Amino acid sequence: MTLLTEPEAPVRAPHPLRAEAVRGFAPWAGAVVLLTLGVPLWAKADRWQGGWAETADQLHTALLITLPLAAAAGCWQGGRERRRGTEELWGTTVRPPLTRLLVAALPVVLWVTAGYLVTAALALLATWPYAQGDRPHPAVLPGDTVATAAGALAGHVVGRVVATRLAAPLLAMAGYVGLGIVAAGGSPAGRALSPATGALDGALPVWWQPWAMAVWTGGLALAAALAYAARRRVTALLPLAAALSAGALLAQAGDGLWHTDPLGRRQVCDTSTTPAVCVNARYAGMLPQVGEALSGITDKLHGVRNLPVRWADHGSAPRAGEAQLPGITPLGWSAVRGRLTDPRQYAWQAVTALQGYDCPETTLTARVLRADDAVEHYLAPSPVQKAIDEDDARGDAARRAGLRERRAARARLAGMDERQRRDWLSAYFGARAGCDPKEVPAL
C-alpha cells in the first residue's frame, strides 16, 4: 500500500525591507543617534529637566547634531554596494532603481528617526515629574522629525553619487558647520529655512511653521531621490515645487515664524506679603517655596513704607513700583528640577533687588555701603558674608577698620526698637528708591 503525503508549503522569503531593517547597519545607526543625543542631554539635565520650554529648546537645538549625523548615516549606507564591489550585481536585479534605493535607504531613515523620537520621548518623560506650571511644547517635533528623516534620505543619495569613503564624515562636518553658521548669524530668511534655528528661548512657532518645514526638507530629499533613481525623472519636479513653495513661505515670514509664549508674560502672585511675591506663570508651582525663602524678609519688613509693590519676574527689567525677583531661570543655577538650590542665597539676592541696584555707581558712598551692608545683614545676610568678614579681619589696617564700622552699623540697626527700626528702614528705602545718597539715614 502506498502512502500519499501532502507537499510541504513553500517557505515565504522575508521581505527585503524587513531584512534590511532588522540586520546590518540601520539598527546601529538608530542606536548611535539615541546615544549621541541622549548622553549629552542627560549630562546637562539640570539645565532643562523641570521646564517644558527648556526641554523643547534642548531637543530642537540637538538637531544641530541629529541632522548631520542622520545625513552621514544615510551617506554611509548609500555607498555600501560600492564598498562591497556588488554594484553591477545589484544592478542586474529585476527591481527598478527607485525600489532598490528605497529598500536600502528606508531602514536607515526609519531607525535614525526612531532614535530621535525615543530621545525626545524620554526627555519629555524626564521633565514631567518636575514641571512647575507650563505645558509640553511638542510643536517643533514634526518639523524636526521630518528634517531628520530627510537628512538620512538625502545623505543616501549623496553616498551613491560621491565615490569616496570620506563622503560620510565630510558630509557630517559640512552639515554641522553650515547649520551652526546659519543659526548663529544668518539672515532672517536663512534662519527661517534652517531646520535648526538655534535656541528658542521660550518662543513658540506659528501653527503652520512645523508643517511648512516638513514639506521644505522632505520635499528636497524626495526630489533628490526621484531625480537620481526614478524611471521618469520629471516626477522629481512635483516634490521640488512643493519644497520651493514651502521654502518661499518660510523665507518670506523670516523671524515672524516665532512668537513669545503668552504664558511667559503672565505673573502668578502671593499678595499676602509686602512686597508681594510674583513668579512667572511658567513656574507657578515654585511660588510656595519662593515665598517661603523670602518669608524671613517680608516678616521683618511688615509696616515698612517706601517699598516696591512686588518682586516680579517678567524676563526683563522690572516695571515702575516693582523689584526684580531673583532669577529662577536659566535652570541649573538658582533652580534645579523644580527646587531652589540655595534659599539663603536667593533671599540675599532678593534684598539686593530692593536696594536700588540700578542706581549709578556714583551714589555708592561709604555711608550708603555701610547702610546697605547693615540692611542685608538684618534682612537676609549673604551665605558668604562670614567668610568675607573673616578675610577682612586678617587684612591690613584699613580693611580691619572697615569691618569694625560695618559691624557697629549692623549692631545699631539690630539694637533699635521695632518702631524706630521701621522708621529708619522706611527712610532708607525711600532714599535708595530715589538714588539719593544724601537722604540715606545714618547708622
Side-chain angles (χ1 to χ4, degrees):
M1 186 174 74
T2 304
L3 296 177
L4 299 177
T5 59
E6 295 183 1
E8 294 183 2
V11 179
R12 185 176 181 180
H15 193 279
L17 185 60
R18 180 180 181 277
E20 290 276 4
V22 299
R23 296 196 305 268
F25 173 71
W28 288 105
V32 168
V33 170
L34 178 63
L35 292 175
T36 304
L37 299 184
V39 171
L41 278 175
W42 182 253
K44 53 184 178 182
D46 55 351
R47 301 182 188 178
W48 55 265
Q49 198 174 4
W52 289 117
E54 288 78 5
T55 303
D57 197 351
Q58 289 291 327
L59 289 173
H60 184 67
T61 304
L63 206 64
L64 286 168
I65 300 175
T66 310
L67 189 52
L69 190 61
C75 186
W76 185 257
Q77 179 80 345
R80 179 184 62 177
E81 305 305 330
R82 185 183 302 108
R83 293 192 303 273
R84 292 177 176 177
T86 57
E87 276 187 302
E88 293 184 3
L89 179 63
W90 187 247
T92 61
T93 62
V94 296
R95 294 188 182 93
L98 182 59
T99 301
R100 296 199 302 268
L101 181 143
L102 293 178
V103 167
L106 285 181
V108 174
V109 171
L110 295 175
W111 273 104
V112 298
T113 304
Y116 175 73
L117 287 176
V118 169
T119 304
L122 292 176
L124 293 173
L125 287 175
T127 292
W128 175 70
Y130 305 104
Q132 295 298 319
D134 200 356
R135 59 189 182 281
H137 292 256
V140 296
L141 280 179
D144 292 352
T145 303
V146 174
T148 301
L153 179 58
H156 189 92
V157 175
V158 172
R160 293 207 170 197
V161 172
V162 180
T164 174
R165 289 176 178 266
L166 296 177
L170 290 176
L171 182 61
M173 287 188 291
Y176 179 76
V177 172
L179 289 174
I181 291 174
V182 173
S187 64
R191 290 195 299 270
L193 292 174
S194 173
T197 54
L200 303 179
D201 294 327
L204 297 177
V206 295
W207 69 268
W208 51 267
Q209 188 272 346
W211 310 109
M213 181 59 68
V215 175
W216 162 243
T217 56
L220 289 178
L222 185 57
L226 292 175
Y228 174 78
R231 182 170 299 175
R232 296 182 178 179
R233 295 184 178 179
V234 69
T235 56
L237 294 177
L238 182 60
L240 180 61
L244 293 178
S245 299
L249 186 62
L250 292 169
Q252 185 177 10
D255 291 337
L257 293 170
W258 307 91
H259 62 90
T260 303
D261 185 357
L263 190 65
R265 294 195 291 263
R266 289 177 48 204
Q267 301 281 296
V268 177
C269 299
D270 176 6
T271 58
S272 64
T273 64
T274 302
V277 180
C278 301
V279 301
N280 193 284
R282 289 168 50 195
Y283 310 100
M286 294 193 67
L287 180 59
Q289 59 179 301
V290 169
E292 182 179 356
L294 303 184
S295 61
I297 302 172
T298 54
D299 289 346
K300 294 175 181 177
L301 290 177
H302 180 71
V304 175
R305 304 179 303 279
N306 301 323
L307 291 169
V309 176
R310 65 182 68 86
W311 282 288
D313 180 14
H314 298 288
S316 57
R319 300 170 184 172
E322 296 180 342
Q324 180 66 49
L325 185 76
I328 294 174
T329 57
L331 299 182
W333 296 90
S334 295
V336 173
R337 296 180 180 90
R339 303 297 302 176
L340 292 178
T341 55
D342 191 342
R344 289 183 60 201
Q345 177 73 11
Y346 193 84
W348 173 76
Q349 292 174 348
V351 172
T352 62
L354 298 176
Q355 294 177 317
Y357 66 94
D358 55 348
C359 292
E361 290 188 7
T362 55
T363 65
L364 299 179
T365 63
R367 179 181 179 180
V368 171
L369 291 176
R370 281 196 301 271
D372 287 351
D373 176 79
V375 171
E376 292 172 15
H377 192 269
Y378 172 68
L379 294 177
S382 170
V384 299
Q385 188 62 57
K386 182 178 179 181
I388 294 174
D389 289 349
E390 292 175 351
D391 187 55
D392 285 345
R394 294 189 295 267
D396 56 23
R399 292 173 60 185
R400 292 196 302 271
L403 176 60
R404 286 193 297 270
E405 292 177 357
R406 293 200 304 272
R407 284 176 170 172
R410 296 171 190 171
R412 284 193 289 271
L413 179 60
M416 294 178 182
D417 62 52
E418 185 174 344
R419 179 177 178 180
Q420 184 183 10
R421 185 168 48 242
R422 188 166 55 243
D423 292 341
W424 188 94
L425 288 172
S426 298
Y428 165 82
F429 282 113
R432 294 300 275 129
C435 296
D436 188 351
K438 297 179 181 180
E439 296 296 324
V440 173
L443 272 177

